[in-house]
């Protein structure tokens, strides 16, 4: 009881820890929703090169996670900790590179290189922040309940960060008006080219300059929030060193550790389950705005519908934290993720109805909250199970967390590729006022049938996940026994050494 009391975290510490998760979500949300539009309409980069920038940035973002995990595993302990120095030194450079992403250089050639370099640089630097921050979960407390509670705080703040990133970027650049283009099927190809020329002429130099300034102002505000959140994390959270009783004198190498981690059955099953879950929700997230705009016809409502999803997710994370504490994490996975299935089917089967759409948005937000919270809550249990099976191996927390982030970002790239290729094959009309029938059918598949199938597959995989509540309790007791045994051994060694001296 004394040990548990010492490991208990204050509400202030949990809040400071949670605030550290906001920069990743705020910047990620702003880039995810607005970077493509910015490159095409504001920076006026050719669409082919814009796709190269976005794809290369996502691929590099995924690659940097295991790379940073490798270097963190080699980092020595300092007076600031082992993870905090990465967060401290990456922050100013990340903010500078983020701002330069939203700056239009006054150069006739080299724009593509400019955006590619600074986009990849920012992805690298934000990874140097987020991977050690994610692994910090294992270093703030040894108690499972305290880590779970801190994770719930973190997920709440991260979902708020997505709302905040969308709101800041959307409000500041919200005056940018991009009129839609009537389908070229209604007039000849020549007339279509003339219409495009006339539409481009409406964007004079002055309005484009104002738009560019708005994007830079938004980048400045978000960059300031990034620094503020990093300072709160640094000042409010103390990184605790791993228990010496679970460490060997010589740490296992990264590649040996990677082999051990990837051979750990519970970790592979957990990753496989959330891989399909993430893919399902990312397909829904990436195509829901298009679905609302074209298939349902709610062009002026989709921002509010997306906001309803994120607010619902934010408000229901505390409920899921209570639910997993009361009924267990595997039960929370089954109930939370499967609850979206009937609503995803309803929004496609029922005719276009704004009330039904908002109900579906709120229900989807409830499942999004579960998908946000549960993987980060279950990963520490897998790490504890790994420690029991490999008590002489340590320092692999960053590998566990970095490769989970890697696979999550990999699914984001897959979902982006599937969506873009499917819509392009169906005949999607860029900036069109309406879309052909095959496009509307494809959107229905991408936001309903495919996500439902992926969710069902993930639930089957979670059935194989072996760490239930009974297993968690046994692991907790076994870890406590190891610590007590090591503490006793350490005390006897110290007594013997003192007597010799």
């Amino acid at each position: 009881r004394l040990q548990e009391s010492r490991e208990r975290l204050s509400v202030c510490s949990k809040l400071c820890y949670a605030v550290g998760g906001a920069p990743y979500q705020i910047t990620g949300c702003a880039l995810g929703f607005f970077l493509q539009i910015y490159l095409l309409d504001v920076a006026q980069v050719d669409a082919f090169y814009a796709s190269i920038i976005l794809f290369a940035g996502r691929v590099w973002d995924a690659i940097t996670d295991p790379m940073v995990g490798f270097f963190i595993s080699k980092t020595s302990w300092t007076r600031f900790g082992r993870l905090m120095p990465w967060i401290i030194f990456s922050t100013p450079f990340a903010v500078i590179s983020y701002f330069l992403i939203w700056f239009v250089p006054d150069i006739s050639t080299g724009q593509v290189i400019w955006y590619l370099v600074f986009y990849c640089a920012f992805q690298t630097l934000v990874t140097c922040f987020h991977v050690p921050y994610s692994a910090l979960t294992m270093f703030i407390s040894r108690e499972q309940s305290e880590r779970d509670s801190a994770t719930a705080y973190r997920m709440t703040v991260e979902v708020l960060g997505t709302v905040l990133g969308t709101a800041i970027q959307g409000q500041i650049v919200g005056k940018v008006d991009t009129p839609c283009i009537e389908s070229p099927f209604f007039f000849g190809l020549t007339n279509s080219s003339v219409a495009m020329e006339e539409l481009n002429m409406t964007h004079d130099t002055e309005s484009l300059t104002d738009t560019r300034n708005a994007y830079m102002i938004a980048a400045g505000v978000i960059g300031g929030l990034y620094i503020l959140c990093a300072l709160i994390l640094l000042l409010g959270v103390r990184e605790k060193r791993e228990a010496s009783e679970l460490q060997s004198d010589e740490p296992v190498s990264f590649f040996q550790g990677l082999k051990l981690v990837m051979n750990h059955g519970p970790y592979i099953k957990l990753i496989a389950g959330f891989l399909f879950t993430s893919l399902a929700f990312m397909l829904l997230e990436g195509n829901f705005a298009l679905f609302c705009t074209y298939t349902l016809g709610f062009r002026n409502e989709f921002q509010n519908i997306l906001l309803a999803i994120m607010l619902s997710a934010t408000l229901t994370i505390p409920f899921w934290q209570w639910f997993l504490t009361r009924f267990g994490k595997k039960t929370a996975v089954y109930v939370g993720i499967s609850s979206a299935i009937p609503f995803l089917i309803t929004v496609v089967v029922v005719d276009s109805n704004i009330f039904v759409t908002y109900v579906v948005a709120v229900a989807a937000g409830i499942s999004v909250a579960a998908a946000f919270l549960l993987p980060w809550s279950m990963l520490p249990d897998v790490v504890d199970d790994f420690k029991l099976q490999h008590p002489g191996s340590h320092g692999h927390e960053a590998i566990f967390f970095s490769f989970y982030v890697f696979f999550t970002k990999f699914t984001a790239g897959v979902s982006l590729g599937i969506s873009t290729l499917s819509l392009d094959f169906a005949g999607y009309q860029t900036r069109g006022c309406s879309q052909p029938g095959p496009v509307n059918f494809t959107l229905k598949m991408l936001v309903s049938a495919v996500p439902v199938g992926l969710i069902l597959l993930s639930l089957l995989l979670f059935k194989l996940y072996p760490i239930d509540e009974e297993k968690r309790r046994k692991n907790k007791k076994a870890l406590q026994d190891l610590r007590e045994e090591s503490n006793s051994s350490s005390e006897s060694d110290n007594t013997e050494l003192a007597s010799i001296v």
Side-chain angles (χ1 to χ4, degrees):
R1 291 180 181 175
L2 181 62
Q3 179 68 24
E4 289 182 2
S5 176
R6 268 183 280 188
E7 294 291 337
R8 199 173 300 279
L9 297 172
S10 66
V11 173
C12 180
S13 295
K14 293 176 185 178
L15 286 173
C16 291
Y17 167 73
V19 167
Y24 180 77
Q25 297 298 336
I26 294 174
T27 55
C29 197
L31 289 168
F33 282 114
F34 293 95
L35 183 58
Q36 186 177 26
I37 299 173
Y38 167 80
L39 290 174
L40 294 174
D41 294 346
V42 181
Q44 297 180 330
V45 176
D46 183 77
F48 174 74
Y49 292 113
S51 64
I52 291 177
I53 293 168
L54 294 171
F55 178 74
R58 285 179 178 271
V59 170
W60 180 249
D61 188 21
I63 292 173
T64 54
D65 286 294
M67 289 173 57
V68 171
F70 169 77
F71 288 115
I72 289 175
S73 68
K74 296 293 184 181
T75 303
S76 301
W77 192 271
T78 68
R79 66 189 185 94
F80 296 105
R82 188 156 65 96
L83 304 174
M84 282 295 187
W86 286 82
I87 295 172
I88 295 169
F89 292 112
S90 66
T91 294
F93 299 104
V95 171
I96 292 171
S97 60
Y98 179 78
F99 181 81
L100 292 176
I101 291 174
W102 304 103
F103 176 76
V104 180
D106 189 15
I107 52 178
S108 56
T109 59
Q111 267 195 333
V112 175
I113 301 299
W114 173 281
Y115 290 114
L116 186 60
V117 167
F118 285 110
Y119 187 37
C120 291
F122 173 73
Q123 297 292 6
T124 303
L125 291 164
V126 79
T127 298
C128 291
F129 182 104
H130 191 65
V131 169
Y133 170 75
S134 300
L136 189 62
T137 309
M138 300 302 301
F139 294 87
I140 57 177
S141 176
R142 294 174 183 166
E143 289 298 314
Q144 291 178 346
S145 59
E146 291 301 300
R147 294 196 305 242
D148 291 345
S149 177
T151 300
Y153 277 81
R154 170 192 165 189
M155 291 301 107
T156 303
V157 173
E158 287 196 0
V159 176
L160 280 172
T162 61
V163 176
L164 191 61
T166 306
I168 291 173
Q169 193 87 359
Q171 290 298 320
I172 294 177
V173 303
K175 294 182 180 179
V176 178
D177 183 22
T178 306
C180 64
I181 305 170
E182 291 293 342
S183 174
F185 293 109
F186 293 108
F187 40 78
L189 182 60
T190 305
N191 292 336
S192 175
S193 301
V194 172
M196 283 294 295
E197 262 186 53
E198 291 177 353
L199 184 59
N200 291 331
M201 289 294 291
T202 61
H203 294 284
D204 57 18
T205 305
E206 183 179 353
S207 65
L208 192 58
T209 301
D210 292 339
T211 303
R212 292 174 177 177
N213 291 335
Y215 274 97
M216 286 191 290
I217 291 170
V221 173
I222 290 176
L225 286 174
Y226 193 117
I227 294 173
L228 178 62
C229 292
L231 286 174
I232 292 173
L233 175 67
L234 174 64
L235 298 175
V237 176
R238 185 170 67 89
E239 182 182 348
K240 299 176 182 178
R241 193 163 189 170
E242 286 180 298
S244 59
E245 66 273 18
L246 297 182
Q247 295 184 6
S248 58
D249 294 332
E250 292 294 333
V252 179
S253 70
F254 175 81
F255 293 104
Q256 289 176 324
L258 179 60
K259 183 178 179 181
L260 289 173
V261 168
M262 289 304 170
N263 286 331
H264 191 57
Y267 182 62
I268 297 301
K269 291 168 185 175
L270 183 67
I271 280 185
F274 278 111
L275 193 71
F276 290 104
T277 303
S278 299
L279 183 57
F281 282 100
M282 286 176 182
L283 281 172
L284 177 63
E285 177 187 5
N287 295 282
F288 197 71
L290 293 173
F291 177 74
C292 290
T293 301
Y294 295 112
T295 305
L296 299 181
F298 301 140
R299 179 178 292 275
N300 298 322
E301 285 287 334
F302 81 88
Q303 297 97 331
N304 297 328
I305 296 171
L306 291 174
L307 185 61
I309 293 175
M310 302 315 299
L311 287 175
S312 171
T314 304
L315 295 174
T316 51
I317 279 181
F319 165 76
W320 287 119
Q321 173 62 22
W322 168 84
F323 190 94
L324 68 86
T325 304
R326 177 68 176 82
F327 299 101
K329 296 180 182 180
K330 286 190 71 171
T331 304
V333 166
Y334 297 139
V335 176
I337 296 176
S338 63
S339 63
I341 293 177
F343 297 97
L344 293 178
I345 296 173
T346 300
V347 76
V348 173
V349 173
V350 177
D351 292 335
S352 177
N353 184 294
I354 189 65
F355 175 76
V356 172
T357 305
Y358 271 105
V359 171
V360 170
V362 172
I366 295 172
S367 289
V368 167
F372 257 79
L373 173 65
L374 290 168
W376 297 111
S377 179
M378 297 168 79
L379 268 174
D381 300 336
V382 173
V383 177
D384 285 344
D385 186 74
F386 178 84
K387 285 182 177 180
L388 283 175
Q389 295 188 25
H390 305 87
S393 180
H394 72 94
H396 305 312
E397 291 81 4
I399 300 176
F400 278 100
F401 285 87
S402 64
F403 270 90
Y404 174 73
V405 175
F406 168 80
F407 286 119
T408 303
K409 291 177 179 177
F410 174 77
T411 59
V414 170
S415 66
L416 178 65
I418 291 174
S419 302
T420 305
L421 289 175
S422 300
L423 292 172
D424 183 61
F425 182 75
Y428 179 78
Q429 302 294 321
T430 303
R431 292 168 59 186
C433 294
S434 60
Q435 296 294 338
V439 172
N440 290 324
F441 176 78
T442 302
L443 286 170
K444 288 182 179 180
M445 294 295 102
L446 291 173
V447 302
S448 180
V450 178
V452 167
L454 291 170
I455 288 173
L456 292 174
L457 181 58
S458 70
L459 293 177
L460 290 175
L461 290 170
F462 281 124
K463 189 72 176 174
L464 304 175
Y465 178 68
I467 303 178
D468 53 15
E469 292 307 298
E470 183 180 357
K471 178 71 171 177
R472 286 182 65 224
R473 284 192 291 269
K474 289 181 179 178
N475 286 350
K476 179 180 178 181
K477 179 67 168 58
L479 282 172
Q480 288 176 343
D481 292 341
L482 274 177
R483 290 176 186 134
E484 290 172 2
E485 179 183 346
S486 180
N487 286 336
S488 300
S489 175
S490 177
E491 289 175 4
S492 63
D493 289 344
N494 290 335
T495 304
E496 182 180 352
L497 178 62
S499 63
I500 293 173
V501 173

